[in-house]
Amino acid sequence: MSLLKLHDLYFKPYIHKDEISAIVKRLATEVKADLPKGETPLFIGILNGCFLFVADFVRAFKGECEISFVKLASYEGTSSTETVKELVGINEDLTGRTVIILEDIIDTGNTLQEIYTIFKDKNLKQLKIVTLFFKPEVYRKELPIDYIGKNIEDKFIVGYGLDYNSLGRNSSAIHQLTPTPKMKNIVLFGPPGAGKGTQAEFLKEMYHLVHISTGDVFRYNIKNQTELGLLAKKYMDEGDLVPDEVTINMLKAEVDKNTDANGFIFDGFPRTQSQAEALDAFLAEKGEQINGMVALEVTEDILITRLLERGKTSGRADDTDEAKIRNRFNEYNTKTAILKEYFDAQDKYYGINGIGSIEDITKRISEVFNTL
Ligand code: IMP
Ligand code: MG
């Protein structure tokens, strides 16, 4: 789950879709259990926000029922307006019926009051109210609410049908309003030898960012025989890849060490889609996000020349042998390049020509950085 931007505002993950699903099932079961045998309820959803809730609720409801919708808008922007508009959509005779209102969220209770008023003179057998979410701190009415899915704090939420100025309804999880992110977080991307490390050194000074190179962190931890280093080495000695979980935890620890950072340059991470998802989720919890993936694009022939050159002085065993280098490219092309699609799908991929002088490339990158 990542940060959501709708219009001018940011929303962070708040309630996972699995939790919503469990709540909806529980509500459907409770409502069914309280109904007299043989009673066919009429479920009325209050549009627009309820459409996903109703769709899931009625499928979880085991028994005969009728379903209808009414429209009654009451919100503008992120604060409840006092004026509740009129109800559209109920034409049938409701005399003697058990009507169960399905609401996505009850906030001040203005809408609920309107519902009670409208149904008062319809000669119902009974009227019950089900709401998926309820904000107890702002509720200002005495009116009964028969079933509450989840009490939430008084913060604006979106997703699962709920909107902010018409956007966000199609998110399957609930997100909560959060301040505009403060950090600039960049994933520096590119095949081995593309110049990521070199460029990161310049960029971290220019933008006051913390540079985290997972390769360097691994090598440091192994050299200093830290707990993490020993764990990582155990896998490496067996010829296994260090599992994502170990890498992710190491990275989280590095981020948490730098609480007052302006942002981070991630270099060598994420390497797989699941690492990218974990990084997104980790930052989103903090109300932060990846601003962009900046990728240095260099042809393989140039890279091999560069790496062999570096191998003469770097002391890195993986830089001296062309076969090993080719193997790393293969690894990069088959696994890591998938990340290009991942960030591209979020409109966050920026490809940069990585051939030229160091200064020219820094300049190209900083033109992108300035827009992020
Ligand atoms: P109330 O009349 O103040 O109880 O507000 C009820 C209506 O306001 C709901 O049906 C929603 O349409 C909208 N609303 C209240 N709180 C939120 C929120 O946090 N996110 C999105 N819509 C909300
Ligand atoms: Mg509503």
Side-chain angles (χ1 to χ4, degrees), residues 34-229:
D34 291 345
L35 283 170
K37 263 209 162 51
E39 180 81 44
T40 301
L42 168 61
F43 291 120
I44 298 182
I46 312 293
L47 290 172
N48 292 330
C50 73
F51 75 105
L52 287 180
F53 174 43
V54 173
D56 287 340
F57 180 96
V58 296
R59 280 178 292 180
F61 180 82
K62 301 283 172 259
E64 198 178 80
C65 64
E66 292 177 24
I67 303 157
S68 195
F69 291 91
V70 296
K71 188 146 185 168
L72 173 102
S74 73
Y75 246 66
E76 264 174 46
T78 59
S79 78
S80 188
T81 54
E82 291 300 316
T83 45
V84 175
K85 293 168 208 153
E86 68 184 304
L87 171 131
V88 204
I90 285 284
N91 308 311
E92 58 257 64
D93 182 12
L94 299 179
T95 307
R97 298 299 308 271
T98 288
V99 170
I100 300 180
I101 302 292
L102 299 178
E103 259 283 33
D104 44 359
I105 185 163
I106 295 176
D107 183 307
T108 61
N110 289 337
T111 313
L112 183 66
Q113 173 147 53
E114 208 72 7
I115 290 166
Y116 269 106
T117 311
I118 288 162
F119 287 96
K120 201 178 57 193
D121 50 8
K122 297 231 185 274
N123 302 314
L124 306 182
K125 181 174 168 194
Q126 58 172 341
L127 178 68
K128 288 197 169 186
I129 310 292
V130 182
T131 188
L132 180 56
F133 299 114
F134 179 55
K135 294 179 178 168
E137 291 160 50
V138 270
Y139 189 59
R140 292 194 262 106
K141 311 287 178 192
E142 298 291 320
L143 303 162
I145 303 171
D146 302 278
Y147 304 92
I148 293 173
K150 187 178 171 85
N151 288 328
I152 59 169
E153 53 183 327
D154 177 24
K155 292 216 177 119
F156 197 77
I157 59 168
V158 295
Y160 197 68
L162 293 161
D163 69 309
Y164 163 51
N165 283 351
S166 302
L167 294 184
R169 296 194 195 274
N170 58 328
S171 163
S172 48
I174 293 286
H175 285 67
Q176 186 187 56
L177 186 63
T178 188
T180 302
K182 290 191 243 351
M183 291 182 172
K184 198 197 266 282
N185 294 313
I186 313 281
V187 173
L188 200 55
F189 193 65
K196 299 187 293 285
T198 309
Q199 293 299 333
E201 287 305 310
F202 291 109
L203 294 164
K204 74 173 188 190
E205 297 298 331
M206 288 170 71
Y207 295 93
H208 308 288
L209 303 174
V210 175
H211 174 211
I212 300 182
S213 152
T214 31
D216 287 350
V217 178
F218 269 136
R219 283 184 286 270
Y220 173 87
N221 279 284
I222 291 169
K223 188 166 157 239
N224 290 285
Q225 306 206 335
T226 66
E227 200 178 318
L228 187 82

Side-chain angles (χ1 to χ4, degrees), residues 331-347:
E331 186 83 356
Y332 175 82
N333 290 330
T334 52
K335 288 206 194 117
T336 320
I338 293 167
L339 293 174
K340 176 178 172 174
E341 282 165 45
Y342 179 85
F343 285 100
D344 216 10
Q346 304 178 33
D347 288 329

Side-chain angles (χ1 to χ4, degrees), residues 195-354:
K196 299 187 293 285
T198 309
Q199 293 299 333
E201 287 305 310
F202 291 109
L203 294 164
K204 74 173 188 190
E205 297 298 331
M206 288 170 71
Y207 295 93
H208 308 288
L209 303 174
V210 175
H211 174 211
I212 300 182
S213 152
T214 31
D216 287 350
V217 178
F218 269 136
R219 283 184 286 270
Y220 173 87
N221 279 284
I222 291 169
K223 188 166 157 239
N224 290 285
Q225 306 206 335
T226 66
E227 200 178 318
L228 187 82
L230 293 173
L231 185 62
K233 194 169 181 305
K234 200 185 83 191
Y235 289 102
M236 290 156 96
D237 286 349
E238 296 292 315
D240 293 330
L241 284 175
V242 180
D244 275 359
E245 203 193 294
V246 177
T247 313
I248 291 163
N249 286 340
M250 181 184 78
L251 183 107
K252 285 182 181 175
E254 285 298 307
V255 170
D256 286 336
K257 257 192 230 166
N258 295 283
T259 42
D260 52 357
N262 281 330
F264 296 88
I265 299 174
F266 297 103
D267 161 5
F269 185 94
R271 276 218 156 128
T272 61
Q273 175 149 340
S274 80
Q275 287 182 359
E277 285 165 2
L279 181 61
D280 267 347
F282 172 64
L283 291 173
E285 259 173 54
K286 300 175 182 294
E288 298 294 342
Q289 63 175 346
I290 293 294
N291 299 64
M293 166 180 260
V294 173
L296 293 172
E297 293 166 347
V298 188
T299 57
E300 288 198 4
D301 290 344
I302 294 182
L303 290 172
I304 290 173
T305 316
R306 278 192 199 170
L307 285 172
L308 291 172
E309 196 56 39
R310 179 169 88 180
K312 288 179 192 162
T313 53
S314 73
R316 280 178 54 170
D318 56 354
D319 278 351
T320 47
D321 175 335
E322 185 163 337
K324 277 188 189 156
I325 293 174
R326 293 250 176 229
N327 192 35
R328 280 157 69 200
F329 285 152
N330 190 38
E331 186 83 356
Y332 175 82
N333 290 330
T334 52
K335 288 206 194 117
T336 320
I338 293 167
L339 293 174
K340 176 178 172 174
E341 282 165 45
Y342 179 85
F343 285 100
D344 216 10
Q346 304 178 33
D347 288 329
K348 287 182 178 175
Y349 180 85
Y350 301 88
I352 286 184
N353 178 5

